[in-house]
Amino acid sequence: MLRISEIWIYPVKSLGGLRCHEAMALEKGFEHDRRWMLVDAQNRFITQREHPRLALFSVELSGGKLIITHRKTGSSVQFEASLLSNKKLKTRVWDDVVETHEVDEAISQWFTQELGFVCRLVKFPEENQRPADKKFVPELKHVSLADGFPYLIIGQASLDELNRRMNKPVTMQRFRPNLVFTGGEPFLEDTWKKFNIGTVPFEAVKPCARCVLTTVNPVTAEKGPEPLYTLSLFRKQNNKIYFGMNLIGLAQGLIREGDQITFNS
């Protein structure tokens, strides 16, 4: 039997993740998942690929507020999740240009001080549009500020198989999934098409190509060759290294830890 064992959201793109016992699945991804991001002076998104130190920021959601803490300095900032300034920005996420709102100048200044370069925290309102990759999602579906697709699922058995081949194991958080499941053989998710989690239908649209972000230790922010090197030895295809499966949601609904995964016959 296949069951959901972990649910994760990443409210601010490329900052720390937040484990949830349940989450509301929406078209763009789980509620609050990657609805915020940091942008540089050119209004381009920034991530751990260029700035591994972003891993040192932890994020909490409590009472409708986001609480962001820099674990090394101990400094923190908090704001209402609904907070939006009137300052609209055209911001770039990969090849997409989307309209966002700066959350608050004081919040942006806090990040600028903590990181040592000019940046702003922006929010992507729920009603704003950003189509998912039409090469893989022919019907019009939208995504938040995630790299390309609303959801990512990985089997625990897939991580176990990777760690079996490595000298030092890594945690699932290297791969920043939204959903982790138990049961089945390694890389079972590679074969999926349409399925349900509880009563909520999903569709697997594309294996997830992995990048250097997986080489950033989510606790220390240190970079190294693993796990990308070991993955390249047995999960490389067409010059890309795959681990996990990208999904779109086909309806809204509540997902809970322990929900069963079932397949449409």
Side-chain angles (χ1 to χ4, degrees), residues 2 152-162 172 175 177 179-195 203-208 210 231 235 242-247 261 263:
L2 308 178
L152 172 65
I153 193 167
I154 301 175
Q156 181 62 46
S158 303
L159 180 67
D160 294 344
E161 175 59 21
L162 169 62
M172 187 65 86
F175 304 99
L179 295 154
V180 182
F181 70 92
T182 55
E185 65 268 17
F187 312 111
L188 179 64
E189 58 270 28
D190 290 351
T191 66
W192 291 358
K193 296 195 183 303
K194 290 187 176 181
F195 61 97
E203 183 175 354
V205 293
K206 178 186 175 294
C208 185
R210 308 316 306 222
L231 277 173
R235 295 287 295 171
Y242 293 102
F243 191 78
M245 180 62 75
N246 292 124
L247 313 175
I261 299 173
F263 296 86

Side-chain angles (χ1 to χ4, degrees), residues 9 11 23-26 29-35 61 126 151:
I9 63 171
M24 178 60 67
L26 305 173
F30 282 131
E31 185 179 16
H32 301 308
D33 184 44
R34 282 167 278 217
R35 294 331 197 251
L61 263 172
E126 202 67 27
Y151 299 94

Side-chain angles (χ1 to χ4, degrees), residues 13 52 59 66 72 179:
K13 184 178 178 67
V59 182
L66 260 74
K72 208 163 190 178
L179 295 154

Side-chain angles (χ1 to χ4, degrees), residues 122-141:
V122 300
K123 184 177 182 181
F124 185 49
E126 202 67 27
E127 65 272 14
N128 287 14
Q129 297 189 342
R130 183 181 172 225
D133 192 330
K134 293 175 184 172
K135 294 195 297 289
F136 301 97
V137 187
E139 67 272 28
L140 185 61
K141 293 285 184 180

